[in-house]
Amino acid sequence: MGNIQRKEYDATSNPAIKNPDWMSLVPDGKSLCDLSIPGTSKSTWLHGGDINQRQSWNLTSQYEAGIRFVDISLQYYRKELSLFPVKSHNHSFDAVLTDTINFLRHHSKEVILIRLCEYSNFGKGKLFPQLVIRYVLDAGLSWFWKAPGIPTLGQVRGKIIILRDFDDPVIGIPCKNFIVADDQYVPTIFDIGHKWASVKRNLTEAQNSKGDKMYLTFTSGRSSGAYPYTVAREINYKLYNFLEHSEKKKNRWGIIAMDFPGSYLVQTIIQSN
């Protein structure tokens, strides 16, 4: 993979451009449905070799670059919720919340959306929602958006929004209400075109929608025949060109969750607002 840094793809540890306060320029009355939000896929998978690594920036660097959606995989491990994979990250869910709250303390006009999914339940599936709420309460309930409805930006500045990829209505917004494109399986490098077609279709639908639903597009994909960085290089390049050649007006792209995004690609999404 190497430490490559391009406009659309970055495998280094430090973003070339930082934009930690971009939401402060967006009006309070704007619904989250109307925003274009840069995000990452498998946001804490910073290790694991070519077949598993999905990001090179840690969470704080992602937030400073302008990332506002993160995708967190959790599993029950030693009586707590740990980041998956455990071998790569000896941190519990606490670490994610601590890093996020520390960022929001210094950038109180911003909002962080955290998609939570249970990577493997090990028979603890029924406990998962209760464990999530325990961590939320320990971190401080005032940091979180509690309702299932989609808010305006003004209602949630300085807060974390949990996007629930599990059933129990504990806290936050259910992902099942979103329009999602998440074709993660890319059999070979020759199938990247099919992946891009899925991405482009969801983005175009988001652009032309009435703005009453949230769209979430994962540009990431992988398999033993197409490593994450290989897919990311191709898809990020196509995405950057697609966004650059869109009409120079405000565009609603929804949430775009990427692997190894380059700083210029992140800024291009932000500028769509």
Side-chain angles (χ1 to χ4, degrees), residues 144-149 160-164 169-175:
F144 296 84
W145 171 249
K146 304 171 191 65
I160 296 167
I161 301 177
I162 299 291
L163 304 181
R164 288 190 285 107
V170 179
I171 190 171
I173 304 173
C175 288

Side-chain angles (χ1 to χ4, degrees), residues 224-262:
S224 59
Y227 290 165
Y229 74 87
T230 305
V231 176
R233 284 182 189 176
E234 293 292 325
I235 296 292
N236 290 7
Y237 177 78
K238 291 177 184 295
L239 177 62
Y240 184 69
N241 284 326
F242 173 76
L243 297 176
E244 276 284 282
H245 290 93
S246 296
E247 290 183 50
K248 298 301 180 184
K249 62 177 184 179
K250 291 183 180 180
N251 278 303
R252 179 197 304 113
W253 301 119
I255 301 165
I256 306 177
M258 304 165 282
D259 284 351
F260 301 105

Side-chain angles (χ1 to χ4, degrees), residues 72-220:
I72 304 297
S73 304
L74 297 173
Q75 66 178 5
Y76 186 80
Y77 182 74
R78 294 181 180 175
K79 297 184 178 181
E80 64 179 20
L81 291 179
S82 289
L83 302 183
F84 183 90
V86 171
K87 289 181 181 178
S88 298
H89 305 278
N90 295 316
H91 295 297
S92 79
F93 185 32
D94 282 331
V96 171
L97 295 180
T98 298
D99 287 348
T100 305
I101 289 169
N102 283 343
F103 175 79
L104 291 172
R105 285 187 199 279
H106 295 97
H107 306 279
S108 59
K109 299 283 189 181
E110 306 303 293
V111 179
I112 302 295
L113 294 84
I114 301 181
R115 175 184 179 248
L116 289 184
C117 62
E118 186 176 13
Y119 194 81
S120 179
N121 60 41
F122 291 99
K124 304 293 181 180
K126 293 181 180 179
L127 276 179
F128 186 76
Q130 283 79 10
L131 287 168
V132 168
I133 200 66
R134 190 193 82 192
Y135 280 82
V136 165
L137 291 172
D138 287 348
L141 191 58
S142 63
W143 287 105
F144 296 84
W145 171 249
K146 304 171 191 65
I150 296 172
T152 62
L153 192 52
Q155 291 176 295
V156 287
R157 291 195 190 275
K159 292 187 182 294
I160 296 167
I161 301 177
I162 299 291
L163 304 181
R164 288 190 285 107
D165 210 357
F166 52 93
D167 289 333
D168 287 31
V170 179
I171 190 171
I173 304 173
C175 288
K176 65 183 180 183
N177 293 347
F178 288 22
I179 309 296
V180 182
D182 189 15
D183 301 323
Q184 288 290 310
Y185 181 60
V186 180
T188 71
I189 58 174
F190 302 108
D191 297 289
I192 291 175
H194 295 294
K195 170 67 184 181
W196 169 244
S198 169
V199 168
K200 186 178 178 181
R201 187 164 53 246
N202 212 50
L203 292 176
T204 303
E205 189 176 325
Q207 180 188 30
N208 296 323
S209 69
K210 295 178 181 178
D212 56 348
K213 292 182 179 178
M214 288 287 288
Y215 282 77
L216 170 55
T217 304
F218 285 90
T219 67
S220 51

